[in-house]
Amino acid sequence: MSRRLRRWQAECLELAKIHYLNHVDFFVQATPASGKTRLAAEIAHWLLEEERIDFVICFAPTREVVAGIQRTFTAVLYQRFGDTLASVGAAYTYQSMEHHPEDFWTLFTKYRTLTIFDEMHHCAGHDPLLSNTWGQKIIQRIQNAATYTLALSGTPWRSDDLPIALARYSNPEGKLICDYRYDLQTAVYDGVCRLPRITLIDNPLIRLTEETENTASVRAFSSFQQLLGESPISYEDLLRHDDVLNAVLDLGIDRLNQERSSVPNAGGLVVATDIEHAHQIAALLHFKGESHVVVNSQTPKAHQLIDQYRHNSMRWIIAVSSKRSFQDVVDLLHVPERSQ
């Protein structure tokens, strides 16, 4: 793999070299799909070359992300990097923390390790009583044992307001302190990420038929906002309504056709609310003659399907809007071979 780095990666790498001279923990917030895994591999490469560590151990939310880490680290380190420690390092899912034998945890005390946490916001807590399972393991087994830690996150906050494990917060404001921050605005300016464009869709002629045992009444609404505020219809109902889905998909198909006029293998990403919704969308795309693939947390060998999509001419990929599968797709799709 070429050693050429993006500007932010090179800048963050140099900062990490200085930081690790006097500190153990390094926290990086970088916008999704900006290249955090490559940065982590470069930091590991430097620590190994400087003979500051013996092993690199990574944790990530899913098997698909773990597989991506293994590929990137193998290429950057020019050494075997697998799912066992018969190499310079290994990557594991956070779920695996609950099943490692005692011998695994002694690695952190017997050897010098760089421990990397991908999407660190999944791990909550600063003390064992107010932590989730993964946060507890980090506090009990890694926090005071790892030689160095590197925490990465694209969205460094939690909806339950619990602190993120290993993170530092300002006092009394309670704001997360990042050692390096690379936000979306800067990533767009650098050409690393694309400027998000939001298209609002509404309907001024909505008709809702409400039936009782003996009568049926029709109510008119001038917008989706009015419909949601003045009827029993929920946003979830709209997302699963075939007419709404068809309207949105038709707009997406038109836009993808425009993109393909200049980028022949451009692809489209559809985000579903759950697996059932994903297959509903897939059925509609199939009816329209649109080639597609569905990828979710239950898809066998999902990362292989994503890799295939990156390099073929299939038009659509459908992911589920969860903390796991959606981010897997976004991270793995962010390569120059395919327009998104």
Side-chain angles (χ1 to χ4, degrees), residues 172-222:
E173 299 85 2
K175 292 184 178 181
L176 176 69
I177 299 173
C178 293
D179 298 300
Y180 186 88
R181 190 186 305 271
Y182 187 60
D183 60 28
L184 177 60
Q185 181 177 356
T186 308
V188 170
Y189 178 81
D190 289 345
V192 171
C193 295
R194 299 188 179 194
L195 180 66
R197 297 181 181 179
I198 300 174
T199 299
L200 300 180
I201 300 173
D202 212 338
N203 185 351
L205 301 173
I206 301 172
R207 299 291 183 269
L208 175 64
T209 301
E210 297 178 307
E211 297 181 352
T212 62
E213 288 186 4
N214 301 316
T215 62
S217 60
V218 178
R219 298 172 62 191
F221 300 90
S222 61

Side-chain angles (χ1 to χ4, degrees), residues 54-57 84-86 89-90 92 100-115 141 145-147:
D54 303 306
F55 290 116
V56 182
I57 302 174
T84 68
L85 283 174
Y92 305 91
H100 286 303
E102 188 64 29
D103 286 350
F104 173 83
W105 299 110
T106 61
L107 293 169
F108 295 91
T109 55
K110 288 185 176 181
Y111 299 94
R112 300 170 301 165
T113 63
L114 167 65
T115 308
R141 296 291 197 170
T147 309

Side-chain angles (χ1 to χ4, degrees), residues 277-328:
H277 190 222
H279 288 290
Q280 179 188 5
I281 293 168
L284 295 174
L285 286 174
H286 176 75
F287 182 78
K288 297 174 185 294
E290 295 286 308
S291 59
H292 60 274
V293 62
V294 178
V295 178
N296 58 67
S297 59
Q298 297 180 10
T299 303
K301 299 181 179 179
H303 68 280
Q304 293 184 11
L305 291 176
I306 298 171
D307 278 341
Q308 291 171 10
Y309 177 81
R310 289 164 59 188
H311 301 288
N312 65 26
S313 60
M314 188 171 291
R315 289 172 63 86
W316 296 96
I317 186 167
I318 306 169
V320 176
S321 180
S322 69
K323 291 181 179 178
R324 294 179 57 184
S325 58
F326 173 59
Q327 191 58 53
D328 294 346

Side-chain angles (χ1 to χ4, degrees), residues 2 88 106 151 155 160 162 169 181 217 233:
S2 170
V88 71
T106 61
T155 53
D160 57 15
L162 286 175
Y169 292 85
R181 190 186 305 271
S217 60
I233 299 297

